[in-house]
DNA sequence: CTGAAAGCGCTTACAG
DNA sequence: CTGAAAGCGCTTACAG
């Protein structure tokens, strides 16, 4: 059953290098006092034997795992892959490894959580649309710091770093008002996430302020296909808006498709469209969508910085950070 | 520094339950001989104290970590998120947790690998376009089994489970021949991956067999935007093919966009297009792309099954598995 | 079925 | 700067 694996221990290295086991251990702990000469001897022996310190044994004594649990989204929303990549390599730079916490909404099977806490993660980064309160409470119970990435779940009291969605909403309103729009719609998905609500609020407040009109809010779905009917209704009514600001690029593209292919509308002349996320498809020839880019790299870096700080400093306080977004003007809005 | 965390140990539980520490341990090892009565006492005490066995301590004695390293892609190709989700939850069902092995191609920084081996993963699943030979060799050295998911890297000798790409190529050829196509192009990305080459070969062989013509192979890129020029050339020449089979859906959509928006062609009347992957965009109104769906769920399940088997049975042999793909006919091919 | 004890591979005071 | 020894929280023969 037990495969041989790499069974080289610090004792083996010690023997080969002619030093004690504790000395070998010290060599691999940054900042320990070891003479340059023995350090070299040990390194050589370690390399010869292909020695790797056993992280489990280390964790057992130090009481820190240098493992971060990552809660990730279940949707295959295109943006998320990069997120994982960014967070994981940022974490690695700080000496942490990433262990996945797969989180199924639909399954009631609670076994999923306990499992992962057997590994004593030092902290949790929640980059998930489905991170929920149960997991959050588990973390609290075990006194594990958590930071939410790019979103914040209602009812949780953890650190988070998100894009400045309110400001994004304002910018969208400004852009549309500048081009003379007087009637606008905010098209949203079915679940009112905090970030999405913020964006809506910014949009509405700013548009009211500038244009003296309150944008209508229309609820569709976050899924392209299941939004189509709502969009058809939205566009065919006699009170069709001059512009629609969408909660996601997917939604915006659904609007474009229906507008052009089914209603024969011209974009941006008959209808202006703004998305959110800047997924790869936004720059395709068929779309050229005006949208907002979130600075995921910065979000990743900041959330890692926060979690590490939270781990190292016992009583560092919660931090809530807003990162600015970038408006990318393409061909679906007037200039 | 050391946060208190959950510091409840089996000793604490033992005391509360009035049994020995070894008994507590046994209770949490499936199949151990413990009387039902003490089992209950221990469970109660454990629940009261919110006890979780420490996986690190366990690993230290059992010499297995129940941790699988997952090498994941750096590209944000839409399909991959689901992959991660599938693999990770499949692994969880088998009692394994997933630790990420972020693999950067561009960085020469070799520190990335050693780090992860400190955690003594029991096995590695490589679901990456960038999984390379260095990592593969590291695994060999440590005697860690690896299985490649949905792809296979040249020069490696590990188990893998992939889609039957040769057959997919054949099916594409059959479909096109059936609709009377006599000139076809296989449009590929810049890197000739094994799976892609297989598909090309199947397509060419079958098309030659049926139509008596050899399809031309044109090399573009896997990226939409950087493929555009190649596609323009391909379509504007007087020898424009009647059909093009593309290595990815992205590529196929680039072909569609250029054909319709720039060349004024009708699809499928003037040009038939087949993609590969069945990404969400394929069913959008603008595309309705005929393509192939890989059975990622099955791929995930099989690769997990293989890796687990490889771990448990010392000398189980390599397994190479091909899973059939499914042709999805939409509107870009004739009936 | 249960307990006492050794051991897994490290880190970390404690001496020297 | 270095070594001997205790201890981290488990599992697992070994007795009973």
């Amino acid at each position: 059953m037990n495969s041989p694996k790499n069974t080289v221990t610090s004792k083996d290295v010690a023997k080969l290098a002619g030093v004690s086991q504790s000395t070998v251990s010290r060599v691999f702990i940054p900042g320990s006092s070891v003479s340059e000469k023995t350090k070299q001897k040990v390194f050589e022996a370690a390399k010869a034997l292909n020695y790797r310190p056993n992280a489990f044994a280390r964790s057992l004594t130090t009481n820190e795992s240098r493992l971060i649990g990552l809660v990730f989204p279940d949707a295959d929303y295109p943006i998320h892959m990069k997120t994982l990549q960014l967070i994981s390599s940022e974490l690695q730079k700080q000496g942490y490894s990433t262990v996945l916490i797969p989180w199924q909404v639909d399954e009631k099977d609670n076994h999923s959580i306990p499992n992962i806490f057997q590994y004593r993660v030092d902290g949790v980064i929640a980059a998930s649309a489905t991170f929920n309160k149960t997991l959050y409470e588990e973390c609290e119970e075990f006194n594990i710091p958590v930071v939410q990435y790019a979103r914040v779940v209602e009812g949780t009291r953890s650190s988070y770093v998100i894009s400045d969605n309110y400001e994004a909403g304002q910018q969208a309103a400004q852009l549309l008002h500048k081009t003379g729009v007087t009637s606008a719609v905010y098209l949203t998905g079915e679940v009112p996430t905090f970030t999405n609500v913020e964006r809506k609020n910014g949009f509405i407040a700013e548009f009211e302020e500038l244009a003296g009109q309150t944008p209508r809010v229309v609820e569709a779905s976050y899924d392209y296909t299941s939004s189509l009917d709502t969009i058809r209704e939205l566009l065919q009514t006699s009170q069709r808006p001059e512009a629609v600001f969408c909660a996601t690029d997917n939604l915006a593209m659904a609007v474009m498709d229906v507008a052009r292919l089914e209603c024969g509308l011209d974009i941006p002349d008959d209808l202006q469209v703004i998305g959110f996320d800047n997924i790869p498809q936004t720059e395709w020839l068929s779309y050229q969508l005006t949208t907002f880019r979130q600075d995921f790299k910065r979000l990743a870096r900041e959330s890692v910085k926060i979690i590490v700080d939270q781990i190292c400093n016992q009583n560092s306080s919660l931090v809530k950070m807003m990162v600015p977004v970038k408006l990318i003007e393409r061909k679906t809005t007037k200039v």
Side-chain angles (χ1 to χ4, degrees), chain A:
Chain A
M1 202 63 133
N2 290 346
S3 49
K5 282 205 200 173
N6 180 19
T7 196
V8 178
T9 76
S10 56
K11 216 184 281 178
D12 301 317
V13 177
K15 196 182 298 173
L16 182 60
V19 297
S20 76
Q21 182 270 330
S22 3
T23 298
V24 174
S25 177
R26 283 194 193 92
V27 168
F28 288 94
I29 298 173
S32 294
S33 59
V34 194
S35 82
E36 200 53 41
K37 221 176 81 187
T38 55
K39 200 179 272 188
Q40 286 314 320
K41 277 193 302 185
V42 170
F43 274 144
E44 268 170 40
K47 178 170 284 184
L49 298 173
N50 203 10
Y51 168 69
R52 298 277 191 287
N54 185 322
F56 297 146
R58 165 164 52 66
S59 296
L60 210 51
T61 47
T62 60
N63 198 28
E64 56 175 34
S65 63
R66 302 198 77 77
L67 237 34
I68 300 288
L70 183 61
V71 188
F72 69 104
D74 54 353
D76 53 345
Y77 198 63
I79 224 69
H80 293 314
M81 204 60 209
K82 206 186 292 170
T83 287
L84 231 64
Q85 165 80 355
L86 287 171
I87 294 181
S88 163
S89 51
E90 200 62 42
L91 238 19
Q92 191 174 255
K93 276 183 209 155
Q94 305 293 327
Y96 287 85
S97 291
T98 313
V99 30
L100 251 34
I101 307 185
W103 189 260
Q104 290 103 325
V105 234
D106 29 35
E107 282 192 48
K108 293 193 168 43
D109 175 27
N110 249 3
H111 285 330
S112 44
I113 326 162
N115 259 349
I116 203 63
F117 285 113
Q118 297 189 358
Y119 288 98
R120 304 292 194 267
V121 293
D122 290 337
V124 165
I125 295 183
S128 170
T130 56
F131 172 72
N132 68 15
K133 283 184 69 176
T134 317
L135 176 54
Y136 170 73
E137 283 157 9
E138 286 270 342
C139 290
E140 274 206 313
E141 197 161 5
F142 287 100
N143 199 16
I144 296 171
V146 2
V147 25
Q148 298 182 65
Y149 172 95
R151 75 180 320 269
V152 14
V153 172
E154 213 136 355
T156 57
R157 243 191 105 262
S158 82
S159 296
Y160 60 74
V161 24
I162 56 178
S163 290
D164 192 339
N165 281 272
Y166 193 89
E167 194 209 7
Q170 289 180 307
Q171 282 188 42
Q174 286 157 15
L175 175 64
L176 294 179
H177 174 256
K178 204 180 63 187
T179 60
V181 170
T182 59
S183 68
V185 159
Y186 184 79
L187 185 63
T188 179
E190 61 274 72
V191 191
T193 64
F194 174 78
T195 46
N196 188 22
V197 169
E198 282 283 284
R199 207 178 319 142
K200 184 186 71 183
N201 291 342
F203 182 66
I204 292 179
E206 186 75 3
F207 196 83
E208 273 176 352
E209 168 97 17
L210 294 173
Q213 309 271 350
T214 307
R216 193 149 55 98
V217 175
V218 174
E219 182 183 312
S221 143
Y222 287 116
D223 173 61
Y224 177 101
T225 305
S226 38
S227 298
L228 290 175
D229 281 339
T230 308
I231 292 171
R232 286 183 182 116
E233 207 183 312
L234 168 67
L235 294 184
Q236 279 171 2
T237 168
S238 50
Q239 318 139 35
R240 186 206 319 139
E242 298 165 39
V244 22
F245 178 31
C246 305
T248 69
D249 286 337
N250 275 329
L251 225 37
M253 289 169 171
V255 169
M256 292 180 72
D257 283 350
V258 172
R260 294 201 289 212
L261 303 176
E262 299 186 356
C263 307
L265 298 176
D266 182 87
I267 294 173
D269 281 350
D270 301 327
L271 181 73
Q272 300 193 54
V273 181
I274 304 180
F276 195 84
D277 280 335
N278 194 40
I279 63 175
Q281 286 76 21
T282 51
E283 56 173 357
W284 286 10
L285 297 176
S286 308
Y287 296 106
Q288 293 287 323
L289 178 66
T290 294
T291 188
F292 289 90
R293 187 169 65 75
Q294 301 191 62
D295 192 345
F296 286 109
K297 194 150 189 176
R298 171 117 185 259
L299 291 177
R301 201 161 29 215
E302 298 290 0
S303 55
V304 167
K305 202 194 283 177
I306 293 171
I307 198 73
V308 169
D309 183 69
Q310 218 104 122
I311 291 167
C312 296
N313 306 314
Q314 278 282 35
N315 34 21
S316 61
S317 48
L318 294 192
V319 6
K320 306 178 181 208
M321 178 177 282
M322 302 267 240
V323 170
V325 297
K326 187 167 176 349
L327 172 65
I328 298 181
E329 292 190 60
R330 293 204 183 90
K331 305 267 173 66
T332 59
T333 44
K334 298 181 189 167
V335 284

